[in-house]
Amino acid sequence: MSRKPELRGRAARLARLFPGPGSSGQAARTPFVLLVVLLLGGGLIGLLVLNSALSEGSFKQDDLQRDTKNLTDEEQALQRDIDAYSAPDALQRRARELGMVPGGDPAFLGPDGKVKGVPSAAAQQSAAQIPLVLRPPETVAQSPADTVAQAGTPAAVPTPSLSPTPTTTPGR
């Protein structure tokens, strides 16, 4: 019968690494099992990192949506304030508070230089209709009559500005 030749040197060392027909095959399975375990572990860790990144993005998206909603609400509130200031009755009320009166009939100048219409002056308000306007503190010490008497020239009385005073929206 044939006998297996005995291996020497390098061939013997290589033969010990591979299982023979009589061995159980344990040496060849170990690297495969380690490779499978490492691949599964790496895959699970990769999925965990991916899931964390997606969750973080979802939280950022929720925060941005909430900020967008708040800014939209604020924009609508400011637009309501603007609409309230530019309503005709509000403009008329503020003009009366500033001492303005409705103008008379207008006259128009045509392209040929002729005046169309008859201009008329605005109606004068009586002293009872003129609203009281607070003067700045530096003019309270001296009334305009005192200033005219002292300087001999009319004093300039500051006029209030036409810009609306901003109001705050409740809840801010």
Side-chain angles (χ1 to χ4, degrees):
M1 311 249 170
S2 79
R3 208 176 106 188
K4 221 174 167 189
E6 200 173 310
L7 300 174
R8 291 187 188 143
R10 187 172 179 190
R13 284 191 305 253
L14 285 174
R16 278 183 280 178
L17 291 177
F18 295 107
S23 68
S24 65
Q26 183 68 22
R29 263 190 230 157
T30 304
F32 177 72
V33 170
L34 280 175
L35 178 66
V36 169
V37 168
L38 285 176
L39 286 175
L40 287 175
L44 287 175
I45 290 173
L47 284 174
L48 178 66
V49 169
L50 181 64
N51 191 17
S52 297
L54 289 175
S55 295
E56 182 181 351
S58 176
F59 286 129
K60 284 182 183 178
Q61 181 183 10
D62 289 343
D63 290 342
L64 290 174
Q65 285 176 343
R66 188 176 339 107
D67 291 345
T68 301
K69 182 185 176 302
N70 289 340
L71 290 173
T72 302
D73 292 346
E74 184 176 348
E75 178 188 15
Q76 290 173 353
L78 291 172
Q79 187 62 45
R80 281 192 302 270
D81 290 347
I82 290 171
D83 292 342
Y85 277 128
S86 48
D89 58 336
L91 289 174
Q92 182 181 15
R93 180 180 42 81
R94 292 220 56 243
R96 290 199 190 279
E97 288 173 0
L98 294 172
M100 297 178 161
V101 294
D105 293 330
F108 299 97
L109 186 59
D112 57 353
K114 293 184 179 179
V115 177
K116 296 180 182 179
V118 178
S120 63
Q124 292 293 327
Q125 287 184 332
S126 67
Q129 293 176 339
I130 297 176
L132 297 175
V133 178
L134 296 177
R135 286 189 259 156
E138 60 271 2
T139 60
V140 172
Q142 295 181 353
S143 69
D146 294 339
T147 307
V148 171
Q150 291 175 359
T153 59
V157 179
T159 59
S161 66
L162 297 177
S163 62
T165 57
T167 60
T168 58
T169 305
R172 285 193 223 148

